[in-house]
Every structure is written in structure tokens, then in C-alpha cells.
Amino acid sequence: MSTVVQLQHYVDGAWVPGSGSPVISYNPARPDEIVAQGLQAGQTEVEQAFTAAVAAKSEWARTPAHERGAVLLRAAVVIEQNAEAWGLELAREEGKTRAEGHGEVLRAAQIFRYYGNDGDRAAGEIFSSPRRGEKILVTRKPLGVVGVVTPFNFPIAIPAWKIAPALAYGNTVVWKPASTVPLLALRLAQALEAAGLPPGVLNLLIGPGSMGNAIVEHAALDGLTFTGSTSVGRRLAAAAAGRGVPVQAEMGGKNPAIVLADADLNLAAEQVMLGAFRSAGQKCTATSRLIVAEPIADDFLAMLKQRTEAMVVGDPTNPAVQLGPVVNDSARKSILDGVAAARAQGASVVAGEDPYDDGDLATGYFVPPTILELPAGRELDIWREELFGPVLSVRRAATVEQAFELANDGEYGLSAALFTRDLTHALEGMEDLDVGILHVNSETAGADPHVPFGGAKKSGYGPKEQGAAAKDFFTHTTTVYLRGGAPTP
Ligand code: UN1
């Protein structure tokens, strides 16, 4: 039995116990096991965090970008050195497999390394002027104090995507991670502390959802970046916009994989399985819809059924396990309710058992990997609503055009995967699929730190994340019309 970690908050360079109500995080594979516990932050800590972030902001903004980057690079080393141990903690607290947990921690290090080096890249632009003796410069400045609100499903990678660029570009941060999976937030703050981040530049508050409101309503807030559910994201974005605060929100997805008749079916089956079931489907980029060409549909569904039934479900810290639990009991209930509703509305089960009702899989928050085929020509909620679990809905398409129409059906447009060996179809997909991220012959999830990440349509709001796109959110530009005076004699 591992030790219980004591949760604390990081405010103005010090670890503090918090003045709010108790918070406990459990192992979702064995809910009688406590992973971490402590007291939540309260309004007192929110005030202290903002005071510290405001006090630190001008000095951090003035620190040369190279020096800010050096702190991030040192943090990357600390994260990497701890990747095994923190990856295991992540698997224990969130429920993704140990290999995925380890991979996520390494990914956080990679993100810190990318932004750590950004201080040595271009810092602005220079234009010619229509007037003699003048140059026009576009320089960048940090927003100031940025609120960072992050979800449970990538408890270190998503914070890294937001915090690394926020700090690299000279902002100070007040950060509220999801209180259901708080442990990796502590680890990230510890890495930055060990790397020599000055006090007040990053403030970590573990608190309830309502703390997101306290952050967005705070008078000292200069920007807000959020990843999480559509309903919370829209509410926070509206509140931020109402106060004139710039906002970046990454929200829902209902991402399709489209398997055309000419696809490499083994590759497509392997990738659809990864997209649908890794992290138990708890990714905004997970594959939750499959659109399969009619002529190959029976064969392809048989391949998926066989692979789904062979999946090893269990404690994610066991290296043989491929699918762990979902994050908590209410997630399990809402996913199972969604499956039951789809079945009641006419969906048929391609693969998937009834809910686990005895043994460890019933005690933990496990959901059987499930594939449902939806009846043609009928509207089912599961086709449009994000379940955030290991559930894939399937429809057949008679033509490529119909496949793309089905893929574009819905309010989200985060990512899509297109499986084809025909270049013409790949090019048509690039043109016609209304998404922020398109994978040709790979799964819908995955993101590299040096390129933009984010959705089309209602999946996101505000500038995209990562790569050069992050700069658009975390800085504002000043256009400088630069002339000299008369030459001194
Ligand atoms: C990935 O696809 O590997 O909330 C990352 C999410 C996304 C991150 C996806 N913002 O799931």
C-alpha cells in the first residue's frame, strides 16, 4: 500500500495547507485506497495567490526571455528524472495505464523544453514603412496575471501546455487544477520550485469547481486559459468576456474516424482501438464516432469486435493492463447511462459486456470497452453528445461524400482521423472535414508541442494552443513606429 500524499497549495513561493474544506483523491481502480488528501484552498488563498502574482509580474516580465526559458529547461530535467515515479502516481490517481502515465509525464518535459528554448527564437517582427526614415516593429508583451484552469484527464500535460508558454512569455499564473486528480499538479509546481522559479510567478490552488468563478471574477485577472467540459468552458468564457478579459477555452469533441473502402484495415483497426480506448476514452481528442464504408463494414467491425473482446481490463498500474477505470463513480454512471440510453433508442451492441457486477472490476470505476452500431436514418443522442468514456458509436456510409457529411454532423470540430490509401480522398478530406486537427491514417488523439492544437466549430473558443499559436494568446502586440530625430551634429 503506497503512502497517502499530503496535498498543499503553492502560494508566493511557499507551501501552505489551505483554509477550505477537506479534499481526498482516491484510486479509481480501488476506491477504498486514498492517494492524496488535504484541505482545499479557500478565498484567503485565492487573494494571496493574486496578490503574489501581481507583485511578481513586472519583474518576471522584465526578466530576459532567455533566463525565463532557463528555468523552464531546468524544470524539464526535473520532470524527466521523475517520469517513472510520477507516471505511476498518475496511473494510480487518474486511472490511465502506467505506460500512458509515464508517457504523459515525459510529454510535459518535452513541452517545457520546447517553450524553454523559445526565448531564443524570434521575439517580434519588423516591417518596412511607407515613410522615409522609419521602421515599423511589432513587439510582444505578456498579458500579466493569467488564470489557468485544467481538467483531470491529462493532469500534467495540459497544465504544461498552458503554464510553459504562459511563463515563457512573461506572465505570472494562478492555477486551479481539477481537484479530483490533484497530485501531479503538486509535482509540476515542485519541479518549477526546484528549477528556481521566483516566488509568486506560479501559484497553485487546489480547490472546488466554484474556485474557477473566483478566479475569473478577480479584478487582477488579465487572461484565462481553460480546458474542460463545454458547459463550464462556456460559462467561464462568458464571464471573462463580460469583464473584457481575453480567454482561450478548449472544450468538447465528438471525434470521428472515417474508414474508407480502400484503407489498410489492419492499420485502421489498430488506430481506431487506440483512439477509442486509450485513457479509457477520456480525452477531448478520443475517437468516439466511427464512420465505415459499407462494402468493408462487416469485416472491419468483426476485426474491432475481436480486438475489443481481447482487451485486458484492470488495475492500470499492472503493465499487462490495456484499459483502466474511468476517473470516478459519477463518470462511470453517466457513461453507462449514455450506453443504456443508446441501446434503448435502438443501437445494437457490436462489442461490449453488460456493466461489471462483481469482483474488482465492479468495485473500481470500470466501464467495459463498448462499440455500438446506430440504426440508419435515426438521430441518437450518443452520436452528438460527448460521453468521455470507452464507447465508440458506429455508422455506415454508402459514399465518401456521405462519410464526410456524417463526420461533419454535430457542433464539435476538434479532430478527425481519415483512413485511406487514396491520395485523392485524403486531399478531399483536408478540404471538406471541418476540424482543427486532421489525422490521415493515424488515430484522432495526439498533439505535438510545436504546432497549433485546438478545434473548429464549437470545440474551442479563442486562440489555439501550443506552438507559435500559444504566443497569440499569452502575449499582446505593440506596433512601434520607429523614427530617429535629426542627426546630432
Ligand atoms: C492528446 O490528444 O494526446 O483535453 C491530448 C484533452 C486535450 C488534450 C489531448 N486537450 O483531452
Side-chain angles (χ1 to χ4, degrees):
M1 188 115 190
S2 317
T3 47
V4 176
V5 178
Q6 193 59 39
L7 293 172
Q8 288 191 305
H9 316 274
Y10 188 60
V11 178
D12 202 9
W15 290 95
V16 297
S19 62
S21 50
V23 59
I24 301 178
S25 81
Y26 300 93
N27 176 345
R30 278 192 298 277
D32 58 349
E33 190 181 297
I34 294 176
V35 177
Q37 65 182 9
L39 295 177
Q40 310 205 72
Q43 197 52 37
T44 313
E45 288 78 26
V46 173
E47 282 310 324
Q48 288 168 349
F50 272 98
T51 303
V54 169
K57 88 176 173 181
S58 65
E59 182 51 30
W60 185 244
R62 283 199 183 95
T63 302
H66 181 88
E67 257 180 59
R68 293 195 302 253
V71 176
L72 271 56
L73 292 174
R74 288 195 295 271
V77 173
V78 178
I79 295 167
E80 216 157 47
Q81 282 166 346
N82 288 286
E84 280 284 351
W86 293 357
L88 183 58
E89 287 183 336
L90 200 170
R92 240 184 109 219
E93 195 184 48
E94 197 268 355
K96 66 180 64 175
T97 65
R98 190 170 176 165
E100 288 176 79
H102 183 213
E104 184 183 333
V105 178
L106 289 176
R107 196 170 177 179
Q110 185 198 5
I111 294 162
F112 269 85
R113 195 157 280 130
Y114 173 82
Y115 287 105
N117 284 308
D118 211 49
D120 298 333
R121 297 192 190 110
E125 288 173 296
I126 177 159
F127 292 83
S128 64
S129 166
R131 291 161 293 277
R132 284 169 196 266
E134 185 178 83
K135 297 274 177 232
I136 307 175
L137 276 54
V138 179
T139 64
R140 295 207 175 243
K141 296 200 179 82
L143 295 178
V145 178
V146 174
V148 172
V149 178
T150 56
F152 77 84
N153 63 331
F154 283 93
I156 188 161
I158 290 177
W161 271 320
K162 296 177 182 300
I163 291 167
L167 300 181
Y169 299 130
N171 301 279
T172 60
V173 168
V174 175
W175 171 29
K176 188 202 101 59
S179 59
T180 35
V181 182
L183 180 47
L184 269 285
L186 254 74
R187 300 301 181 220
L188 182 53
Q190 285 167 350
L192 282 158
E193 181 186 34
L197 191 74
V201 175
L202 171 75
N203 303 277
L204 161 65
L205 303 173
I206 295 159
S210 59
M211 188 177 284
N213 302 336
I215 290 174
V216 78
E217 278 155 21
H218 202 284
L221 188 75
D222 298 310
L224 178 76
T225 175
F226 168 88
T227 294
S229 73
T230 304
S231 58
V232 175
R234 285 184 187 169
R235 192 162 46 69
L236 291 181
R243 300 194 41 250
V245 171
V247 55
Q248 171 186 63
E250 282 304 328
M251 300 175 281
K254 194 74 201 178
N255 312 296
I258 304 147
V259 182
L260 298 183
D262 64 78
D264 173 342
L265 295 190
N266 277 316
L267 171 77
E270 170 203 280
Q271 295 293 308
V272 168
M273 292 294 295
L274 295 175
F277 299 132
R278 263 211 289 218
S279 291
Q282 298 173 113
K283 298 184 190 181
C284 62
T285 47
T287 306
S288 51
R289 297 187 296 154
L290 170 67
I291 297 149
V292 58
E294 183 65 63
I296 51 126
D298 288 341
D299 287 352
F300 191 68
L301 293 180
M303 289 167 81
L304 291 185
K305 176 181 168 65
Q306 187 257 323
R307 286 167 198 243
T308 305
E309 286 169 354
M311 281 190 91
V312 184
V313 183
D315 184 333
T317 61
N318 173 348
V321 162
Q322 295 165 302
L323 180 74
V326 298
V327 67
N328 58 25
D329 199 30
S330 74
R332 174 174 65 172
K333 282 205 182 81
S334 77
I335 298 161
L336 292 174
D337 286 352
V339 170
R343 291 178 68 173
Q345 290 167 23
S348 56
V349 178
V350 175
E353 306 165 38
D354 285 333
Y356 302 117
D357 57 8
D358 66 346
D360 290 348
L361 297 184
T363 323
Y365 304 131
F366 291 90
V367 174
T370 303
I371 302 179
L372 300 173
E373 182 163 359
L374 310 192
R378 290 241 308 274
E379 275 296 316
L380 264 64
D381 298 334
I382 200 167
W383 188 248
R384 291 164 181 279
E385 286 167 18
E386 193 176 33
L387 274 191
F388 226 62
V391 182
L392 181 67
S393 310
V394 185
R395 280 189 188 279
R396 299 178 188 224
T399 61
V400 174
E401 197 187 358
Q402 194 194 356
F404 291 174
E405 264 168 31
L406 284 169
N408 285 336
D409 178 24
E411 64 173 351
Y412 295 125
L414 183 53
S415 71
L418 173 59
F419 294 91
T420 179
R421 282 182 287 199
D422 184 325
L423 177 61
T424 306
H425 292 326
L427 289 166
E428 284 165 355
M430 284 169 62
E431 205 57 44
D432 295 345
L433 293 168
D434 211 357
V435 289
I437 299 151
L438 175 64
H439 291 263
V440 180
N441 294 314
S442 59
E443 59 150 319
T444 52
D448 282 321
H450 61 298
V451 286
F453 176 88
K457 301 199 293 192
K458 303 278 173 60
S459 283
Y461 186 84
K464 295 203 171 168
E465 296 190 279
Q466 300 191 69
K471 214 182 243 181
D472 290 337
F473 179 68
F474 287 106
T475 61
H476 68 87
T477 57
T478 302
T479 306
V480 182
Y481 293 85
L482 181 67
R483 286 186 207 177
T488 39

